[in-house]
Amino acid sequence: MRNYTFTSESVSEGHPDKISDLISDTVVDLMISKDPYSRVACETLVTTNKVIIAGEYRLDADKTNLFQEIEEKIRLAIKKIGYEQTGFHWEKIKIDNYLHNQSSDIALGVDQNENKEEGAGDQGLMFGYAVNETENYMPAPIYYSHLILKELSDIRHSGKVSFLGPDSKSQLSVKYDGSKPIGANKIVVSTQHEENYNQKDLKEFIIGVVKKILPKEWTYSSDDILVNPTGRFVIGGPDGDTGLTGRKIIVDTYGGSAQHGGGAFSGKDPTKVDRSAAYMTRYLAKNVVASDLASKCSIQIAYAIGVSEPLSLYVNTFGTGKVDDHVIEKCIKKIVDLSPSGIRKKLRLNNPIYVPTSAYGHFGRKPDELIKGSFTWEKTDLVEMLNKEL
């Protein structure tokens, strides 16, 4: 318990890496809409007027015109972001598709049969985290970094202003008094804008957005808000920087406030525990904190490819727990099926719900946001069961 400053960043849906995540999850949702048990691992690269997708899939459905449909979905996704720029335009981009069939060796290890249960799609370790700093049990720096950019995106899509571009970034350095966020030392917002737009007017506009989003009781000044520190941000998106799937895993999770297993989420179907188990550990950690069993909680889980049961489960409440961490571990094992198939069933992950996760974080969102059945891992429906057991 001490005074300190912690910083997290976010990037908008128009950032090159987030465009790649969106395209990869667009492919996942398309496959799952055709076959809920399809297998997908899709990677995307974007650059000046070019999109390249690669990876593997398995689809038990009609594949007629599949690649053409994928291309149409990709163009519509990019159009929805708002990219109609000379260097990256949804109609003019060239799309190269290198998807191929899933390895039979991987399928053999993962698939369920009469002799074995369905195994994990890969080895790995995943972390979930929750803390009672914000209403959605997220760390304040990443939570408000996301909200600032989401507000800018909503304003841009509403048509209220015409000078904002789709590519933007935020960075928030939050001051803590013990475990309580009380203000901000520095707030950085960089946003793509129209050619020759007045930087002073842009800064005043951004300051207004920041003040709307941050808690009224926080301490900071307008001088603490840095807008487009380079002085100009006209060339943006894939025309300004190459984007890749899975390159913003800290933005996707807890902004560095919690540990990360290293695996990206976007582009992967829910048999990949990189994704599904990370959702489950967030779900469990959030319910532990929402149950008032601890003020913050981190949960780790590990798997081996082809093996159904997790290799380990670790709970850490950082000394804030009202019961021993080992007791919480035993309770979780008792009330929740942590096998890959059990996770998918509990969180209803075999649905085309992944496109909304590709920007503004996979966690701290409202269940059923944008698409019905999405963000089920943000529910707190285990609270009663946890309290009863403990």
Side-chain angles (χ1 to χ4, degrees):
M1 301 293 288
R2 61 186 176 88
N3 297 332
Y4 64 96
T5 300
F6 192 88
T7 302
S8 295
E9 70 158 347
S10 179
V11 296
S12 71
E13 80 261 33
H15 186 279
D17 294 331
K18 289 284 105 188
I19 298 171
S20 296
D21 287 341
L22 171 64
I23 291 171
S24 293
D25 277 335
T26 296
V27 173
V28 170
D29 277 0
L30 176 60
M31 297 283 190
I32 291 178
S33 68
K34 292 178 176 293
D35 172 13
Y37 301 99
S38 59
R39 303 285 168 80
V40 194
C42 177
E43 310 291 344
T44 302
L45 179 148
V46 296
T47 186
T48 304
N49 272 331
K50 194 172 186 68
V51 172
I52 299 172
I53 63 172
E56 58 277 354
Y57 71 97
R58 189 177 75 190
L59 183 66
D60 186 14
D62 184 10
K63 301 180 184 63
T64 306
N65 299 322
L66 176 63
F67 281 16
Q68 179 182 338
E69 192 171 353
I70 289 173
E71 179 170 328
E72 290 172 356
K73 292 285 187 181
I74 290 173
R75 292 187 187 278
L76 287 175
I78 294 170
K79 181 181 181 181
K80 188 174 181 180
I81 295 174
Y83 271 107
E84 295 185 342
Q85 300 172 2
T86 302
F88 198 74
H89 194 294
W90 64 274
E91 281 186 312
K92 299 175 182 177
I93 55 170
K94 183 177 185 297
I95 300 174
D96 293 334
N97 187 336
Y98 297 102
L99 291 173
H100 58 84
N101 289 327
Q102 183 190 48
S103 162
S104 58
D105 289 347
I106 293 177
L108 181 66
V110 175
D111 289 349
Q112 181 177 353
N113 57 49
E114 64 274 10
N115 297 318
K116 66 182 284 291
E117 295 183 7
E118 177 188 301
D122 201 353
Q123 72 175 44
L125 51 127
M126 301 83 209
F127 286 92
Y129 182 73
V131 63
N132 62 1
E133 294 176 12
T134 60
E135 61 181 359
N136 287 337
Y137 301 98
M138 287 291 287
I142 188 67
Y143 179 69
Y144 290 111
S145 292
H146 285 324
L147 288 186
I148 289 169
L149 295 188
K150 187 64 170 63
E151 179 68 14
L152 286 176
S153 174
D154 290 344
I155 292 171
R156 179 173 62 85
H157 285 297
S158 72
K160 293 178 181 178
V161 302
S162 59
F163 55 84
L164 292 175
D167 192 358
S168 59
K169 302 174 74 173
S170 64
Q171 185 171 285
L172 195 60
S173 299
V174 174
K175 296 185 292 186
Y176 283 82
D177 180 8
S179 61
K180 182 181 179 181
I182 59 171
N185 280 335
K186 292 295 178 184
I187 303 142
V188 184
V189 180
S190 297
T191 181
Q192 192 178 14
H193 57 84
E194 282 186 340
E195 182 84 38
N196 300 322
Y197 191 78
N198 186 280
Q199 292 294 319
K200 182 179 179 182
D201 292 342
L202 180 64
K203 182 171 183 178
E204 290 179 359
F205 173 79
I206 297 298
I207 289 173
V209 171
V210 170
K211 288 184 174 180
K212 176 183 176 182
I213 294 300
L214 296 187
K216 303 300 181 187
E217 66 274 15
W218 276 21
T219 59
Y220 62 92
S221 71
S222 296
D223 291 336
D224 294 325
I225 304 174
L226 307 178
V227 178
N228 285 1
T230 63
R232 172 185 166 91
F233 189 1
V234 174
I235 300 172
D239 191 30
D241 190 14
T242 300
L244 293 169
T245 300
R247 203 158 58 173
K248 286 291 180 284
I249 57 176
I250 300 302
V251 172
D252 287 343
T253 52
Y254 308 102
S257 293
Q259 295 162 294
H260 196 294
F265 305 153
S266 291
K268 297 175 181 177
D269 74 76
T271 66
K272 277 69 171 177
V273 284
D274 274 344
R275 182 167 218 159
S276 57
Y279 291 171
M280 175 55 83
T281 51
R282 161 62 179 175
Y283 173 65
L284 295 171
K286 184 175 182 178
N287 275 271
V288 167
V289 177
S291 302
D292 199 30
L293 294 169
S295 59
K296 63 178 176 179
C297 179
S298 174
I299 296 179
Q300 187 208 53
I301 195 167
Y303 291 89
I305 188 169
V307 179
S308 176
E309 291 302 312
L311 306 183
S312 66
L313 173 68
Y314 169 67
V315 173
N316 184 1
T317 58
F318 306 93
T320 70
K322 295 182 178 179
V323 298
D324 190 271
D325 292 349
H326 294 296
V327 176
I328 298 175
E329 288 174 9
K330 290 179 181 178
C331 179
I332 288 172
K333 291 177 181 177
K334 180 179 180 180
I335 66 175
V336 180
D337 180 357
L338 295 176
S339 68
S341 60
I343 291 173
R344 292 205 316 277
K345 291 173 184 175
K346 175 65 179 176
L347 300 180
R348 303 197 304 275
L349 298 181
N350 287 110
N351 290 296
I353 57 174
Y354 298 104
V355 163
T357 69
S358 62
Y360 310 114
H362 291 247
F363 309 124
R365 309 284 286 274
K366 294 179 180 178
D368 297 339
E369 185 175 308
L370 300 179
I371 293 179
K372 187 176 181 181
S374 62
F375 299 100
T376 54
W377 49 94
E378 290 297 318
K379 293 184 176 181
T380 53
D381 53 1
L382 283 183
V383 168
E384 183 178 349
M385 190 178 297
L386 282 168
N387 283 323
K388 181 180 178 181
E389 288 291 332
L390 294 172

